[in-house]
Amino acid sequence: CFGNILSGSNYDYVRLLGFARVWRMARLVSSTLDVADCEHNVTKGKLFKEEQNVNNLRKQLVIMEESKENEKDIRKKVEGMLQGYKDEVETLTEALKIAAYDVANDAYRELELCDQSSSENEEKESRVVFVDEDGDEFYDNGNDHVMKEGRIVVHEDGSYELR
């Protein structure tokens, strides 16, 4: 059969070469399309993995934002509690100062009674000022107290001394 083609007319030979060229061209196009399809599938696989990664990151972002909001709320509550404690400490400090003032006042009265019996002969008197260790005056309610010594110092722990 192959021998007839070669011995036949040039037209048959040219037809056979044309068919071989078309066949070769079809195979080249087919193999090129197969390579492109394979590369496309690899790219689609990478895209799918990246989309999954993006979705995971979005989920993590939502979780982190919720966590951030929860932390903000908790922080506000803690700051409110802290402010409440500070206010309570300030109130208790004022109460302690008032109590110390009352104790110092009672001590003054006791000292005054002792001094009256021992110093009836002495007429030297001065104004008493109740102060804390820093020299800040306590509430005197407009009362001026008179005694021989000049100051009663009230310490933070509530104790006092005569100076």
Side-chain angles (χ1 to χ4, degrees), residues 63-96:
I63 291 170
M64 292 293 180
E65 286 176 346
E66 288 174 357
S67 175
K68 181 182 82 170
E69 291 301 319
N70 289 341
E71 289 295 322
K72 280 183 180 179
D73 292 340
I74 290 171
R75 183 180 177 111
K76 284 180 184 177
K77 289 178 184 176
V78 167
E79 286 176 354
M81 288 173 52
L82 179 63
Q83 187 60 42
Y85 289 141
K86 285 181 180 179
D87 292 343
E88 189 172 338
V89 165
E90 186 177 317
T91 302
L92 291 174
T93 301
E94 287 296 318
L96 179 64

Side-chain angles (χ1 to χ4, degrees), residues 4-155:
N4 286 338
I5 294 175
L6 290 178
S7 65
S9 69
N10 262 344
Y11 180 71
D12 289 335
Y13 180 67
V14 171
R15 264 178 72 184
L16 182 62
L17 283 176
F19 178 75
R21 280 185 181 170
V22 169
W23 178 255
R24 183 173 169 219
M25 198 61 170
R27 285 190 60 206
L28 281 173
V29 168
S30 175
S31 64
T32 303
L33 287 175
D34 288 342
V35 168
D37 189 44
C38 182
E39 289 174 354
H40 180 69
N41 287 336
V42 168
T43 304
K44 280 176 29 178
K46 288 180 182 177
L47 178 64
F48 180 73
K49 286 180 183 177
E50 290 301 318
E51 284 176 345
Q52 285 180 335
N53 191 22
V54 167
N55 287 336
N56 288 337
L57 290 175
R58 283 184 181 152
K59 288 177 185 176
Q60 288 178 357
L61 178 65
V62 168
I63 291 170
M64 292 293 180
E65 286 176 346
E66 288 174 357
S67 175
K68 181 182 82 170
E69 291 301 319
N70 289 341
E71 289 295 322
K72 280 183 180 179
D73 292 340
I74 290 171
R75 183 180 177 111
K76 284 180 184 177
K77 289 178 184 176
V78 167
E79 286 176 354
M81 288 173 52
L82 179 63
Q83 187 60 42
Y85 289 141
K86 285 181 180 179
D87 292 343
E88 189 172 338
V89 165
E90 186 177 317
T91 302
L92 291 174
T93 301
E94 287 296 318
L96 179 64
K97 286 182 179 181
I98 291 170
Y101 173 75
D102 290 340
V103 167
N105 215 0
D106 290 342
Y108 169 72
R109 287 187 191 120
E110 287 178 22
L111 288 173
E112 190 176 58
L113 290 175
C114 290
D115 283 344
Q116 282 180 357
S117 64
S118 66
S119 66
E120 290 179 350
N121 297 337
E122 295 180 19
E123 294 295 326
K124 186 178 179 183
E125 296 180 342
S126 63
R127 180 176 178 264
V128 174
V129 179
F130 294 99
V131 297
D132 64 6
E133 292 175 333
D134 298 327
D136 298 328
E137 288 189 23
F138 283 101
Y139 314 104
D140 63 356
N141 297 327
N143 297 330
D144 288 332
H145 301 285
V146 179
M147 77 178 253
K148 287 178 74 170
E149 300 295 327
R151 293 183 157 201
I152 294 178
V153 177
V154 180
H155 300 285

